[in-house]
Amino acid sequence: MLGKTSVPTVFFGGGTPSLMPVKIFERIISALRENFSVDDNCEITLESNPGTIDAEKLKNFISAGVNRISIGVQSFDDEKLKFLGRRHDAKTALDFINTAMKNNIRVSADFIYGLPGDTVRDVIQTCKQINSVGLQHCSMYELTLEPNTPFARMNLQMPSDDALADMYTAIGDSLVPARYEVSNYAIPGQECRHNMNVWDGAPYIGIGRGAAGRILIDDVWYEEMGNGEQFEKLSADARAIERVITGLRTVRGVYLDTAVQKIINIEYVLANPDLIHITAENRLAVTNRGMLVLNDIVLNTVG
C-alpha cells in the first residue's frame, strides 16, 4: 500500500525494548530494510533502563544499527529512585550513561521532577549533574498523579503549582542543553529527529501491539495502531487539531498552512501576544511564559 517509502527515523520505545535479544532486533531491522527504503543516515533510537543492558549487549545493539539511546534515569538521588520504584541506583545510571557516551552514539536521559518534597534547589542540583555528565539531550518530566494509581492513593503532599512553575523556569535557566519542546532539551543539532518529525505533523507508522501511527495515503490521513488493531480515516480538521496540539509543544511551533489556519482561534492568538505569537517563519508558537500554561493555550487556540 505504501510502497518502499523513505524512513528517516526508527524509534524502539514502550516498555523496555533493550530487554529484547539482539537477534530479535536484527530481524526487525532486516524486515524494515526489506519493506522500506531506510535512509543511510537513519536515526535509530533504543529506549533502555539502567541495569537492563550491559556494555557488551549495548555494543551488539550498536553493531546492529542503534545510533541513539534514550535512558530512563529518572533521578540521580537514590532515595527518590526508591520512591519511584526504580530497580537501579544513581551509580548504575551514571555508569551506563558514561558507557554509552564512550561508544560515540547519541545519548539522551529521562528525569522526573516535582516529587513530594522537591524544591527548586533540588531541580537545580539535578541540572548541574546533567551538565557535569555532559549529556547533550535530556527529557525533564513533571510527576503527574493519575487517578486510581498507587501514587494517587497515597495522599502525597505534592508541590504547589507555583512551586512547579518555579522548578520549570529553573530547569530552563540551569541546563546547558536548551529547551526545544515543553519537556525536552538539547544542544543545537542533537534534538530527537524522530519526535521532532512527529510533533511537526510528519507521517509515522506504529508497528507492534499498542503502537500508534498517523499514515498519509493519497492526501488522506489515517489513524493507525500496530498489529492490525486500528486503521481509520482522519478528517482534515481532526488531523490539523492534532498538529496544533503537538506543534505548540515545541519552541518552533506549528506551521500555519491552510488546514491549521482553518481550525485556530486567530482572535485569541492576536489578543495574547505575551502567550502565543506568529513567528517570522509563519509558525504559531507559544512564548516562554506561554509554556507554563500550555494546556490552557491549546484549549483556547483550537477554535
Side-chain angles (χ1 to χ4, degrees):
M1 183 184 297
L2 293 174
K4 280 234 170 186
T5 187
S6 175
V7 175
T9 66
V10 179
F11 197 103
F12 287 82
T16 311
S18 57
L19 289 172
M20 84 172 96
V22 178
K23 290 292 184 184
I24 299 297
F25 177 86
E26 290 174 336
R27 287 172 57 188
I28 295 172
I29 291 295
S30 177
L32 290 175
R33 295 190 185 283
E34 288 175 8
N35 290 279
F36 301 96
S37 179
V38 179
D39 291 0
D40 290 339
N41 65 340
C42 182
E43 176 189 89
I44 301 179
T45 300
L46 179 75
E47 286 191 339
S48 64
N49 287 330
T52 66
I53 177 174
D54 58 22
E56 181 180 359
K57 188 175 183 182
L58 175 59
K59 286 185 178 180
N60 290 335
F61 271 121
I62 293 170
S63 296
V66 169
N67 52 32
R68 184 178 183 276
I69 191 162
S70 178
I71 306 170
V73 174
Q74 315 312 349
S75 178
F76 285 134
D77 184 299
D78 285 340
E79 290 304 312
K80 291 178 181 179
L81 288 171
K82 288 179 183 178
F83 169 78
L84 291 168
R86 309 302 291 185
R87 296 182 180 181
H88 65 273
D89 58 17
K91 183 180 184 303
T92 300
L94 282 166
D95 288 347
F96 186 51
I97 290 172
N98 287 323
T99 296
M101 292 175 69
K102 288 177 182 177
N103 278 277
N104 295 318
I105 60 172
R106 295 167 61 205
V107 180
S108 177
D110 295 349
F111 297 88
I112 296 177
Y113 70 96
L115 280 64
D118 261 3
T119 65
V120 170
R121 180 176 294 182
D122 294 327
V123 169
I124 292 175
Q125 177 60 27
T126 297
C127 292
K128 287 181 177 178
Q129 289 175 288
I130 292 170
N131 295 339
S132 177
V133 171
L135 282 169
Q136 296 193 324
H137 187 288
C138 64
S139 302
M140 305 290 288
Y141 297 117
E142 176 188 318
L143 178 63
T144 302
L145 302 187
E146 299 293 343
N148 302 316
T149 61
F151 281 165
R153 293 191 287 267
M154 290 170 65
N155 196 29
L156 298 168
Q157 193 67 34
M158 303 299 292
S160 67
D161 287 345
D162 286 344
L164 289 171
D166 288 342
M167 292 179 201
Y168 186 78
T169 300
I171 292 169
D173 292 341
S174 303
L175 278 178
V176 171
R179 180 182 292 123
Y180 71 99
E181 189 264 352
V182 65
S183 300
N184 284 271
Y185 303 76
I187 299 296
Q190 295 300 317
E191 297 87 355
C192 178
R193 287 167 46 204
H194 179 85
N195 287 343
M196 287 292 282
N197 289 343
V198 172
W199 294 326
D200 207 32
Y204 58 101
I205 302 171
I207 298 175
R209 187 176 296 277
R214 294 293 183 271
I215 298 176
L216 183 64
I217 303 173
D218 296 331
D219 293 326
V220 177
W221 284 97
Y222 294 84
E223 180 177 2
E224 175 258 351
M225 293 186 70
N227 204 43
E229 294 178 59
Q230 183 181 9
F231 194 83
E232 298 177 2
K233 284 185 179 180
L234 272 174
S235 70
D237 284 357
R239 182 55 184 152
I241 290 171
E242 288 184 340
R243 287 178 50 216
V244 171
I245 292 172
T246 58
L248 288 184
R249 292 179 59 90
T250 67
V251 170
R252 69 179 178 180
V254 58
Y255 185 68
L256 279 170
D257 59 16
T258 304
V260 169
Q261 291 179 37
K262 180 181 175 183
I263 57 92
I264 65 168
N265 182 350
I266 192 63
E267 288 79 12
Y268 172 81
V269 171
L270 296 177
N272 293 276
D274 58 328
L275 300 177
I276 186 169
H277 65 115
I278 298 173
T279 71
E281 293 77 27
N282 198 34
R283 286 178 174 269
L284 187 65
V286 297
T287 64
N288 287 334
R289 182 183 175 191
M291 283 287 184
L292 293 170
V293 289
L294 182 60
N295 289 343
D296 287 340
I297 291 174
V298 170
L299 288 173
N300 284 291
T301 299
V302 178

